[in-house]
Amino acid sequence: MPPITPQDLTHPVPGLSRRAATNAVALGLGVVAVLCVVDVAGGLVLEQRSAANISGTFALAPALTALSRSWRRTALVGVVSVLVAAALVVLDGVPWGTGAVRALVVLAGAVLSSVVAHVQHRQWAQLQDRRQAARTLQAAMLTRLPRPDHLQLTSRYLPASSGDQVGGDWYDAVVDADGATVLIIGDVVGHDIHAAAAMGQLRGLLRAYAVEGGQSPAQLLTRTDDAIARLGLDVLATAVVARVEQDRDQAGSGRRRLRWSNAGHPPPMLLLPADRTSGGRVERLTGDGDTEVMLGVGLPGARHDHVLDLPVDSTLLLYTDGLVERRDEELDEGLTRLAHAMTRADTAPPPARTPLDGWLDRVLTTSMRGGNQDDVAVLAVRAHREDRPRPAEAGPPLPQPGAPLLQ
């Protein structure tokens, strides 16, 4: 399934197509025709048409048409079924009492099927309203990404191959008060409007804390955990918060530092650039290897930061578990598959390497050839060289109100 944008999510949820509704009516009328043939053929074979009369079975036609969830279409097929059944009763010479009972059976079936179709339509419409509300809420969570100087950010959100296109996956990025770029990826447990609403609350907390500046990723996650407990929020979520930092000494040499903390989420992946002698290499950023608990669990314990130097021309990928988890394989297999996709998507050294947007699309296409069974959110960051102008592919930098010059 192709990536979608916030605009895609705000489009109305499609209902039953006109073609599908027409097919349901055709099915009902086709059943009427087939039963007519069976009735006539049975009379010829048995040479006693009244004994072969099957007019009562015509109630099947409106029952099948009710699958269209349209009481009008169901009623139309029901009227045809009653008229044809009554005609066959007369033509087959069925006794009046028996024929009346059979016709009434068809009439009762048609009325009942129409009522069922109407009830199903109302329930379906209410469900679609809930889906649309959740999709609109989720669309509001898909952030317009900042453009820090010489850092390029791009993102994708892909709904599951089947389902309501509603979930708790989200990404976010802000430039904080210190000028550092804070990256967030998270996944709330659940796949309904409640998960989308909980995701909105959690995203709002993390975003508000992150923009303040002066806090490490572990501190941001700890504050969020405290807020969840104090506010009594019923939410469980995994998340990674990463911070791209650069002090004045590092700015002079074009170096950056990546600091991150992981709350039970799949590890970030870092693609080191290819050179003239070898292709790129992917590192799983697992820190010390210990997995810390999810947000909202409420267990005591300190969260920890992990730090590394972010090489020039490297690409950082944050993602949710739908990208790497499959029901029929271990998580490590999914991580390995993702690492291979990342290296295959960009084999040329700078400056001939694949632009970030094209690279991310290749990674997603390769990683999800069988479709994604869960929602997927991804956030990719490329660290461009600072001794050259910002690449055109990264777009012009957006002004960050109140932020220092250094990121």
Side-chain angles (χ1 to χ4, degrees), residues 340-395:
H340 289 165
M342 292 173 65
T343 54
R344 286 197 298 267
D346 191 8
T347 57
R353 66 187 315 183
T354 306
L356 184 60
D357 280 290
W359 173 84
L360 184 56
D361 288 336
R362 290 184 184 181
V363 170
L364 294 176
T365 299
T366 303
S367 299
M368 298 186 299
R369 284 179 177 169
N372 50 308
Q373 300 166 353
D374 195 0
D375 299 331
V376 175
V378 292
L379 178 60
V381 184
R382 181 166 288 174
H384 293 291
R385 298 179 64 91
E386 296 189 69
D387 56 354
R388 301 173 184 172
R390 180 181 175 89
E393 69 176 78

Side-chain angles (χ1 to χ4, degrees), residues 296-373:
V297 173
L299 296 178
R303 296 192 179 276
H304 301 89
D305 288 310
H306 312 284
V307 184
L308 59 73
D309 289 331
L310 189 64
V312 174
D313 291 320
S314 62
T315 304
L316 176 69
L317 184 67
L318 307 180
Y319 55 94
T320 54
D321 57 8
L323 186 60
V324 293
E325 287 189 351
R326 299 290 183 273
R327 296 187 181 95
D328 56 349
E329 67 180 20
E330 298 292 333
L331 176 59
D332 189 69
E333 295 179 55
L335 294 174
T336 300
R337 182 179 63 253
L338 176 58
H340 289 165
M342 292 173 65
T343 54
R344 286 197 298 267
D346 191 8
T347 57
R353 66 187 315 183
T354 306
L356 184 60
D357 280 290
W359 173 84
L360 184 56
D361 288 336
R362 290 184 184 181
V363 170
L364 294 176
T365 299
T366 303
S367 299
M368 298 186 299
R369 284 179 177 169
N372 50 308
Q373 300 166 353

Side-chain angles (χ1 to χ4, degrees), residues 273-280 347-352 388:
D275 55 33
R276 295 180 180 178
T277 59
S278 63
T347 57
R388 301 173 184 172

Side-chain angles (χ1 to χ4, degrees), residues 1 13 131 135 159-166 191 372-373 375:
M1 177 172 290
V13 179
R131 289 176 177 175
R135 292 176 70 186
S161 299
S162 61
D164 299 344
Q165 296 188 346
V166 174
H191 295 87
N372 50 308
Q373 300 166 353
D375 299 331

Side-chain angles (χ1 to χ4, degrees), residues 23-312:
N23 288 343
V25 174
L27 174 63
L29 296 178
V31 169
V32 172
V34 169
L35 292 177
C36 283
V37 173
V38 172
D39 183 279
V40 173
L44 295 175
V45 171
L46 298 177
E47 298 182 352
Q48 188 176 359
R49 298 181 64 176
S50 61
N53 182 269
I54 57 171
S55 56
T57 61
F58 279 69
L60 178 64
L64 291 175
T65 310
L67 297 173
S68 68
R69 297 192 296 267
S70 170
W71 71 268
R72 291 184 177 86
R73 293 182 174 88
T74 304
L76 172 63
V77 174
V79 169
V80 174
S81 300
V82 172
L83 293 176
V84 173
L88 287 176
V89 164
V90 174
L91 294 174
D92 291 342
V94 178
W96 183 88
T98 303
V101 169
R102 292 178 182 177
L104 287 174
V105 167
V106 178
L107 177 61
V111 172
L112 181 61
S113 297
S114 298
V115 171
V116 169
H118 180 63
V119 172
Q120 287 181 333
H121 177 75
R122 291 186 60 183
Q123 293 176 339
W124 173 83
Q126 291 173 353
L127 177 60
Q128 297 305 88
D129 287 343
R130 288 169 60 88
R131 289 176 177 175
Q132 186 61 45
R135 292 176 70 186
T136 301
L137 173 62
Q138 194 167 35
M141 302 299 108
L142 299 182
T143 305
R144 182 189 181 192
L145 298 175
R147 294 177 186 168
D149 190 25
H150 288 85
L151 278 183
Q152 182 184 359
L153 282 65
T154 192
S155 60
R156 299 288 186 275
Y157 173 80
L158 297 93
S161 299
S162 61
D164 299 344
Q165 296 188 346
V166 174
D169 299 43
W170 90 97
Y171 59 81
D172 204 353
V174 299
V175 175
D176 67 18
D178 299 325
T181 302
V182 181
L183 313 167
I184 303 170
I185 193 84
D187 185 4
V188 173
V189 174
H191 295 87
D192 54 20
I193 191 170
H194 301 293
M199 178 265 286
Q201 291 177 309
L202 197 57
R203 172 186 175 276
L205 288 172
L206 267 169
R207 186 176 178 84
Y209 293 150
V211 79
E212 293 176 355
Q215 303 164 91
S216 72
Q219 291 172 324
L220 291 174
L221 290 172
T222 300
R223 288 187 67 186
T224 303
D225 251 334
D226 292 342
I228 290 173
R230 292 180 181 276
L231 295 174
L233 301 180
D234 183 16
V235 58
L236 286 174
T238 65
V240 168
V241 177
R243 194 169 187 261
V244 181
E245 306 168 342
Q246 187 181 65
D247 57 30
R248 293 189 179 274
D249 291 338
Q250 291 172 325
S253 58
R255 293 179 293 117
R256 300 179 181 89
R257 181 171 54 245
L258 178 68
R259 189 185 307 271
W260 80 96
S261 185
N262 190 332
H265 200 79
M269 307 285 264
L270 182 64
L271 174 63
L272 302 176
D275 55 33
R276 295 180 180 178
T277 59
S278 63
R281 179 171 56 88
V282 173
E283 292 185 3
R284 298 182 192 178
L285 303 188
T286 57
D288 55 14
D290 294 332
T291 301
E292 297 183 1
V293 297
M294 302 166 62
L295 293 168
V297 173
L299 296 178
R303 296 192 179 276
H304 301 89
D305 288 310
H306 312 284
V307 184
L308 59 73
D309 289 331
L310 189 64
V312 174

